[in-house]
């Protein structure tokens, strides 16, 4: 058996986090790591803390197509929760997300020290998010095949 790569381990952790998601449309997990690959924070998508889970009580956005109706969807995205759950974002260097970030999350991530976005699944807005992220040549956007 071959030893898993750092990317494989981090993405597997993101996939485990996605298992906690309570959004009825999509389950997404995220893991933020340092440049030395230490886990700094994790997150998954679902309504804000204390609010009913969409898996139990679907929100107004639950019937919208993927990438649509984001303004009526009550879920806090996995990337947003991972940022909130990271105590020292100044050490953040990588984010592993099971699904490529939406444009709003990409803008949020641009305001952090994160340099690399790794993801497995595309998202309807991926091309716009990638263009936004890649406008800063010091950052990379990479799809992982796990």
């Amino acid at each position: 058996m071959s030893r898993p790569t750092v990317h494989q381990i981090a993405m597997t952790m993101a996939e485990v986090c996605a298992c906690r998601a309570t959004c009825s449309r999509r389950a997404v997990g995220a893991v933020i790591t340092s440049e030395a690959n230490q886990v700094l924070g994790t997150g998954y998508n679902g309504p804000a803390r204390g609010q009913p889970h969409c898996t139990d009580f679907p929100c107004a956005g639950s019937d919208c197509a993927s990438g649509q109706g984001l303004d009526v969807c009550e879920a806090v995205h996995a990337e947003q929760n991972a940022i909130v759950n990271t105590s020292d974002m100044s050490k953040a260097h990588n984010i592993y997300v099971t699904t490529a970030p939406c444009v709003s999350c990409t803008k949020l991530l641009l305001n952090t020290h994160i340099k690399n976005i790794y993801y497995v699944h595309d998202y309807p807005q991926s091309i716009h998010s990638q263009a936004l992220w890649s406008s800063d040549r010091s950052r990379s956007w990479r799809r992982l095949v796990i």
Side-chain angles (χ1 to χ4, degrees), residues 7 15 35 44 61 70 88 101 145:
H7 298 306
E15 289 170 347
E35 190 169 8
Y44 54 86
L70 298 179
D88 188 354
V145 178

Side-chain angles (χ1 to χ4, degrees), residues 18-79:
C19 294
R20 294 278 303 153
T22 59
C23 175
S24 60
R25 293 194 323 177
R26 172 187 308 272
V28 180
V31 172
I32 294 176
T33 65
S34 68
E35 190 169 8
N37 302 308
Q38 296 166 315
V39 174
L40 302 175
T42 64
Y44 54 86
N45 61 325
R49 189 170 285 139
Q51 298 300 308
H53 298 302
C54 287
T55 49
D56 298 329
F57 302 98
C59 73
S62 65
D63 290 331
C64 296
S66 182
Q68 302 296 312
L70 298 179
D71 53 338
V72 294
C73 176
E74 294 180 16
V76 177
H77 291 191
E79 301 93 329

Side-chain angles (χ1 to χ4, degrees), residues 8-19:
Q8 290 170 324
I9 293 295
M11 191 58 74
T12 298
M13 291 176 71
E15 289 170 347
V16 169
C17 290
C19 294

Side-chain angles (χ1 to χ4, degrees), residues 5-12 14-15 94-98 100 116-122 141-146:
T5 67
V6 169
H7 298 306
Q8 290 170 324
I9 293 295
M11 191 58 74
T12 298
E15 289 170 347
N94 308 301
I95 188 166
Y96 294 84
V97 191
T98 56
N116 305 301
I117 293 175
Y118 299 97
Y119 71 99
V120 175
H121 305 287
D122 283 318
W141 177 280
R142 297 183 191 152
R143 182 172 191 199
L144 296 179
V145 178
I146 303 291

